[in-house]
Amino acid sequence: IDGARTVPAPAVQLWLVQAMLKGDRLDWIVQKAAELGAGRISPVMTRRTVVRAGASTGGAKQARWRRIAREAVQQCGRSSVPEVEAPQPLERLWPALHAVELAVIPTLAAATVPLRDVLRQAGTAQQVAILIGPEGDFTPEEVAQAERHGVRPVSLGRLTLRAETAAIATLAMIRYALEHD
């Protein structure tokens, strides 16, 4: 961008695994996640996902999300555009989550630990995955499966947040707690 300041890549690599949502809510999440420094965004289909991306619509949505991410990083001065993947079933991501230093799943479906406590313990984590559920949250079975793959169920506090609010709030909290600038 001519005359604009370029912000270096974030110290903490954030990966947002976001359940598909109705309407254009995922467009907004992609935009804000890009602004908050997410390096990878993976839209997923869960048991409670209402919207299903078929082969014909998945590519068009992915192209739109990539454009939104590119425009967002240009506007906020980031030096890199996040990778935005095509929608896929949540189960396909379990193996990749094992390689991440810290993975969290804000949920109401299981016993949780406050996110702030997990972040205090994580102190120097450089790679963090955040799994955000659909309308109605993840099922207890999905949360149990996530736990088997090393994902920590966390609480974002007493309030029940909409999926898009939970995604942005969690990204911001993790960025704030773990950035070492």
Side-chain angles (χ1 to χ4, degrees):
I1 305 170
D2 295 333
R5 151 182 99 88
T6 301
V7 178
V12 177
Q13 297 173 17
L14 295 177
W15 174 18
L16 177 62
V17 177
Q18 173 66 58
M20 297 282 293
L21 301 172
K22 292 186 263 183
D24 62 356
R25 291 168 42 194
L26 198 53
D27 293 1
W28 187 82
I29 290 172
V30 167
Q31 179 187 54
K32 300 308 172 195
E35 291 175 16
L36 284 166
R40 181 177 176 188
I41 303 168
S42 301
V44 294
M45 291 164 285
T46 67
R47 290 192 184 112
R48 291 185 177 153
T49 299
V50 175
V51 177
R52 298 286 172 182
S56 61
T57 60
K61 286 183 180 187
Q62 182 184 17
R64 184 173 73 243
W65 295 326
R66 285 181 173 167
R67 179 185 47 77
I68 289 168
R70 189 173 47 255
E71 290 170 359
V73 299
Q74 288 174 345
Q75 186 272 325
C76 70
R78 276 188 60 191
S79 58
S80 60
V81 178
E83 174 185 354
V84 182
E85 300 175 342
Q88 60 190 304
L90 176 61
E91 294 78 22
R92 287 194 190 155
L93 297 179
W94 296 135
L97 287 166
H98 288 283
V100 177
E101 290 178 70
L102 174 64
V104 296
I105 182 170
T107 183
L108 303 171
T112 59
V113 174
L115 177 61
R116 72 176 168 271
D117 294 349
V118 172
L119 293 175
R120 282 184 191 133
Q121 296 167 2
T124 61
Q126 296 298 298
Q127 301 169 319
V128 181
I130 303 149
L131 285 72
I132 302 293
E135 295 92 345
D137 203 359
F138 290 103
T139 66
E141 296 80 17
E142 288 170 326
V143 174
Q145 189 175 23
E147 284 186 273
R148 286 192 295 274
H149 289 278
V151 181
R152 306 261 325 255
V154 297
S155 165
L156 300 179
R158 295 183 192 149
L159 300 174
T160 300
L161 304 177
R162 292 177 63 117
E164 61 271 29
T165 306
I168 302 315
T170 306
L171 283 165
M173 286 186 267
I174 291 172
R175 169 78 53 229
Y176 178 79
L178 298 182
E179 278 295 320
H180 306 289
D181 292 340

